[in-house]
Amino acid sequence: MDHSPEKRRRRRCLILSVLAVLLLIIIVAVVLGLTLRKNTDSLKTTFISRCKAFKEYDCPKIWDAFEQSYVGRDPCKVPMEAYDPFIAAAPFQPACNRMMFWSKTTDVVHDFTEKKDCFLTLEDTLLGSVMDGLTWCGKEGSPETFTTGCPGWTDCVNNTVRSFWNRASAAFADAACGQVTAMLNGSIVTPFNPTSIFATIELERLDSPRVKNLNVVLVTQETTVTNCTNASLKNLQKELDPGVKYNCKEVSEAQIQECSSNPEKPCGACW
Ligand SMILES: *[C@@H]1O[C@H](CO)[C@@H](O)[C@H](O)[C@H]1NC(C)=O
Ligand SMILES: *[C@@H]1O[C@H](CO)[C@@H](O)[C@H](O)[C@H]1NC(C)=O
Ligand SMILES: *[C@@H]1O[C@H](CO)[C@@H](O)[C@H](O)[C@H]1NC(C)=O
Ligand SMILES: *[C@@H]1O[C@H](CO)[C@@H](O)[C@H](O)[C@H]1NC(C)=O
């Protein structure tokens, strides 16, 4: 064996390099682990704190039911039915005559339901408000929750987030009763879009005699391109349960805003 100082120095150098690489790997693993944990923790924190605004629910139990819907699954293979136990853990209370559906009118409708306690959208309920704007998914064979790198709305049909909204929308529509309202957008060419959640999930669940009327509020603006006679709304009527009475009214966005900022106005007087 050659014990020349040159060789020894090289060997020491090699050992130090290996140690440095190992250290780097450990640091990366720890940081990654913390990030993943932070993902789960921050989603859970948001979930629980939003949930606590609704005092009558057991939030940790609802979180457990939620996690079981997607953890350990391929995020593109989460069907609507996976959320059944989650929906069952926080069932919708029927709110007869107050339920509001919407399509492509998110700002106007939520501003309205927030300011005036007349109607209830899915996003005003526990499940809807807890999940609103959030992204989450799991991974096959992993106990983690991810909040980034999840498939988008149109990347695959049965993705984690989309299946939740489909399932929640179905349950919300199943709970509808009496007078039901739908706020649609008069500034787009097809106010009743056949691919919307309203068309594909909700409408078919508005059954008579539980539901008596469907009142469409077609929101008009300066940019309005259509009205209640539009053919897409004729399609809506064809798909609606014949026992449910249909009605459509064009209402300007300005009128809706004026009404929601006027606390004296009763609910029925907005349109
Ligand atoms: C999505 O899930 C549904 C069940 O909700 C299933 O019938 C359908 O085949 C699935 N689609 C795809 C593309 O995996
Ligand atoms: C209708 O849709 C258009 C285009 O997406 C949007 O600019 C407008 O704000 C929507 N109207 C309402 C009342 O939400
Ligand atoms: C509705 O719009 C159509 C064109 O899309 C127009 O011919 C018709 O006069 C409008 N009806 C009303 C009541 O404004
Ligand atoms: C009304 O709806 C149909 C789709 O059913 C659409 O093709 C048409 O352009 C719409 N009409 C107007 C005036 O926006």
Side-chain angles (χ1 to χ4, degrees):
M1 267 189 146
D2 185 349
H3 289 278
S4 72
E6 173 63 18
K7 273 260 168 86
R8 233 182 290 159
R9 209 172 52 235
R10 252 197 254 156
R11 191 181 310 152
R12 211 167 40 222
C13 196
L14 187 74
I15 290 172
L16 280 178
S17 312
V18 169
L19 281 179
V21 168
L22 277 178
L23 195 65
L24 201 70
I25 291 175
I26 290 170
I27 289 173
V28 167
V30 166
V31 167
L32 256 179
L34 284 180
T35 315
L36 293 181
R37 174 163 299 277
K38 217 171 69 214
N39 267 342
T40 309
D41 285 354
S42 78
L43 186 74
K44 185 170 179 178
T45 305
T46 307
F47 185 107
I48 300 282
S49 77
R50 287 181 180 183
C51 177
K52 285 207 167 129
F54 296 77
K55 300 200 170 46
E56 64 275 31
Y57 291 92
D58 179 352
C59 296
K61 198 174 130 209
I62 297 174
W63 166 263
D64 287 344
F66 168 64
E67 261 194 323
Q68 278 167 27
S69 321
Y70 65 90
V71 164
R73 286 181 184 243
D74 179 335
C76 274
K77 290 187 186 152
V78 179
M80 275 172 74
E81 296 76 31
Y83 288 100
D84 287 355
F86 180 38
I87 304 284
F92 292 111
Q93 321 287 342
C96 293
N97 308 324
R98 284 166 42 85
M99 283 168 80
M100 171 73 89
F101 297 84
W102 58 272
S103 185
K104 291 274 159 73
T105 51
T106 179
D107 292 343
V108 175
V109 78
H110 292 127
D111 178 67
F112 183 72
T113 59
E114 193 183 305
K115 287 190 185 144
K116 217 166 176 61
D117 191 25
C118 294
F119 295 98
L120 196 70
T121 64
L122 173 56
E123 293 71 25
D124 300 309
T125 66
L126 172 101
L127 288 179
S129 75
V130 165
M131 304 319 296
D132 202 13
L134 300 183
T135 300
W136 67 93
C137 63
K139 196 168 136 188
E140 223 171 346
S142 160
E144 299 281 357
T145 290
F146 303 88
T147 54
T148 55
C150 296
W153 191 263
T154 54
D155 289 339
C156 46
V157 181
N158 291 325
N159 73 67
T160 325
V161 174
R162 185 170 167 167
S163 288
F164 164 73
W165 286 108
N166 283 343
R167 184 64 190 85
S169 302
F172 186 66
D174 283 336
C177 45
Q179 303 270 335
V180 168
T181 310
M183 221 181 244
L184 303 182
N185 188 330
S187 301
I188 54 178
V189 181
T190 313
F192 178 66
N193 178 345
T195 66
S196 64
I197 289 186
F198 179 59
T200 57
I201 304 275
E202 294 168 335
L203 189 66
E204 66 190 51
R205 290 178 164 81
L206 303 180
D207 289 331
S208 156
R210 184 169 42 87
V211 173
K212 303 249 173 312
N213 297 63
L214 173 63
N215 303 311
V216 169
V217 172
L218 188 64
V219 183
T220 62
Q221 296 165 300
E222 261 111 78
T223 50
T224 286
V225 295
T226 191
N227 57 35
C228 281
T229 68
N230 178 264
S232 78
L233 295 168
K234 296 278 182 300
N235 296 338
L236 186 162
Q237 285 169 263
K238 269 184 234 144
E239 287 173 36
L240 185 63
D241 182 330
V244 177
K245 284 204 197 73
Y246 169 87
N247 171 56
C248 176
K249 203 163 180 183
E250 293 148 25
V251 183
S252 75
E253 183 181 12
Q255 184 183 332
I256 293 170
Q257 277 164 354
E258 201 256 351
C259 184
S260 58
S261 51
N262 182 351
E264 315 274 273
K265 272 229 165 115
C267 294
C270 281
W271 46 75

